[in-house]
Amino acid sequence: MKILMVSAEAVPFAKTGGLADAVSALAIELTNMGHDVKIVLPRYYKIDRSKLEQLEGPMAVAAGQVETWTAVYKTAMPGCSKLPVYFIDHEGCFGRDGIYGTRSETDFHDNPYRFAVLCHGAFQLCRKLGWFPDIVHAHDWSACLAPVLLKHVCRFCGFEKTASVLTIHNQGYQGQYGKDQFPALGIDWGLYYGAGLEHEGGINFLQGGVSSADMITTVSPTYASEIQTMEGGFGMDGLLRVRHDVIRGIVNGADTSQWNPSVDKRIPFTYSLKDMSGKAKCKAELQKRMGLPVRPDVPVIGMVTRLVDQKGIAEVFAPTYGSLYQICAEMDIQFVVLGSGEKWCENEINALQSKLGNMRAYIGYDENLSHLIEAGSDFFLMPSRYEPCGLNQIYSMLYGTLPIVRRTGGLADTVQNYNQETGDGTGFMFDQLTPRAIYDTVGWAVWAYYNRKDHIKKMQQKGMQSYFGWDVAAKQYLDVYKEALYRGCGI
């Protein structure tokens, strides 16, 4: 199949979160399976043009109210020479720091125009190359104009045998802007309502994509159900229920070339299921690194997270009712956290570690430390309010670290709850996001650590034997692509 991935980000070129990892990993896997895949991205300021190949001639793009002229650059995906990555180059749109915004301007005011240039440019690129895909695969709200354009503008202009798939990586981000921004999209005003872009008097990119795509995927089966509820739909649950027959949930794979304790170059000692001695050494190194007493007998609970509401930070860290102070004060444990985000939370974490002798934090991000926390911890806490897929719980299991998670989204689909009678399971789960539920579940895990060491070992072994390869997800996406072609083109 010929597949065009349209995205605002893809590693190693541009990344704000797991979307970037998923786009590249899926494209690489499909390419390795023999499919003809191309990725199209904006060329952001930090992507060095001198390392790219420029395609001959400028390219006209119909975004905005007048024709926009862009350049196009190309390179091969590192580690996969058969996968080309194309960059739409427009200095006014993308020649700045940030993908969606910066600290001073968290959401660029001209994002509708910027991502209209990307989506119009994707179709123009196909025409320029004389390459017409079977599937246009759009990722998240910033690429949602692509399915709108295919259905309402391009399908009978060379793309008659092309279908669209939209992957929702996070329903909480929808791309909502004022109605005055609609002319920036470069489409007829009739499509304001006709393409489903109108939302509460403004425009909603994700809603337009959901209305127009031939098939819709999310990044786990449970999340596919959750976005169709009032709580998880963020105002779009009604539309998603209407389109329930085209929604599929596919769990993301994990990049085991980067996350594998037997070959991980970012941890001081490697280890495997056959020889776990390296994990104990990593635990000692983590304790030293974080300034904690080196105690092999105490359970270490790790947390690597963005400090935002989605991750359940208030229930863990809030000064008035957060569970962490009580956990650290009343249980014989050590707790380490790595993350950054909301200022109140950063301040509270710093205050907590000044009060508690068994809790340490690193505010910011450090890739090596994130790997060490996964390897050196006994448990990993993920109390997410919602979690479309999640990767840290997968990494934890692969590293023999037992996740403590809320039963939601991809966490529910990947973690098997502990059975206290048999010792089966790969982690510990709770349902209600409350400080008490977090406290009780951490306490349950700590009790098992001290009293059911055989169960802990059995769970570690099962987690490390889990398989989360991208080949599984890629095969499921191919089924979705075939259904999209049937629904969209009758093929």
Side-chain angles (χ1 to χ4, degrees), residues 117-436:
V117 169
L118 170 65
C119 293
H120 280 279
F123 289 97
Q124 281 295 83
L125 173 65
C126 294
R127 297 185 181 101
K128 186 179 182 72
L129 298 174
W131 180 88
F132 295 88
D134 300 300
I135 298 293
V136 171
H137 191 160
H139 293 269
D140 262 357
W141 73 264
S142 49
C144 273
L145 197 59
V148 171
L149 291 172
L150 178 61
K151 181 176 182 178
H152 298 282
V153 180
C154 301
R155 181 159 275 161
F156 300 106
C157 303
F159 294 87
E160 293 84 356
K161 296 182 179 180
T162 302
S164 64
V165 173
L166 167 64
T167 294
I168 300 171
H169 295 262
N170 192 325
Q171 179 68 24
Y173 298 98
Q174 299 183 6
Q176 298 186 59
Y177 298 91
K179 185 178 181 179
D180 61 316
Q181 294 272 24
F182 186 82
L185 306 188
I187 55 179
D188 187 87
W189 266 105
L191 295 179
Y192 178 61
Y193 292 102
L197 287 158
E198 187 277 333
H199 179 77
E200 297 182 349
I203 56 177
N204 184 313
F205 275 77
L206 186 62
Q207 183 175 286
V210 168
S211 300
S212 301
D214 295 308
M215 290 292 293
I216 300 163
T217 71
T218 67
V219 290
S220 70
T222 296
Y223 192 60
S225 299
E226 289 175 347
I227 63 173
Q228 298 177 55
T229 67
M230 187 175 294
E231 181 183 6
F234 290 88
M236 282 178 54
D237 53 292
L239 173 60
L240 289 160
R241 286 194 297 273
V242 168
R243 301 226 64 200
H244 71 94
D245 59 323
V246 303
I247 299 175
R248 305 287 182 268
I250 302 173
V251 174
N252 283 341
D255 184 356
T256 52
S257 68
Q258 299 295 317
W259 292 93
N260 182 341
S262 65
V263 296
D264 191 341
K265 295 179 181 178
R266 293 184 179 274
I267 59 177
F269 304 96
T270 57
Y271 58 94
S272 67
L273 196 58
K274 293 181 179 179
D275 181 3
M276 293 287 284
S277 60
K279 184 169 178 64
K281 294 176 182 177
C282 285
K283 179 174 178 176
E285 285 297 318
L286 176 61
Q287 291 169 324
K288 290 177 188 176
R289 167 80 189 268
M290 301 304 290
L292 291 164
V294 178
R295 292 179 55 195
D297 60 317
V298 68
V300 174
I301 301 169
M303 192 174 185
V304 179
T305 185
R306 287 182 294 117
L307 301 177
V308 295
D309 182 65
Q310 176 198 336
K311 302 300 183 179
I313 58 171
E315 287 72 18
V316 177
F317 299 111
T320 51
Y321 64 91
S323 59
L324 185 61
Y325 182 85
Q326 190 178 6
I327 288 170
C328 290
E330 298 179 8
M331 299 182 195
D332 188 13
I333 59 106
Q334 293 177 346
F335 191 95
V336 296
V337 58
L338 166 65
S340 63
E342 295 187 20
K343 199 49 130 179
W344 75 262
C345 192
E346 293 182 357
N347 293 338
E348 186 58 30
I349 288 172
N350 284 326
L352 281 168
Q353 69 173 334
S354 68
K355 299 174 187 175
L356 296 165
N358 58 345
M359 180 261 185
R360 293 291 182 269
Y362 181 98
I363 301 300
Y365 189 70
D366 182 310
E367 185 72 19
N368 291 332
L369 181 56
S370 72
H371 283 245
L372 182 58
I373 290 174
E374 289 287 10
S377 299
D378 298 289
F379 302 102
F380 192 94
L381 180 61
M382 286 185 73
S384 302
R385 190 170 305 280
Y386 69 95
E387 194 66 61
C389 178
L391 286 173
N392 279 109
Q393 84 281 6
I394 293 175
Y395 301 153
S396 296
M397 289 185 283
L398 296 176
Y399 280 66
T401 300
L402 303 182
I404 303 170
V405 302
R406 181 166 177 252
R407 197 190 314 267
T408 184
L411 304 178
D413 291 324
T414 54
V415 179
Q416 181 184 342
N417 198 22
Y418 172 49
N419 183 320
Q420 195 171 307
E421 300 302 318
T422 65
D424 288 328
T426 57
F428 300 81
M429 306 180 78
F430 58 95
D431 292 295
Q432 299 301 315
L433 181 55
T434 64
R436 186 70 204 185

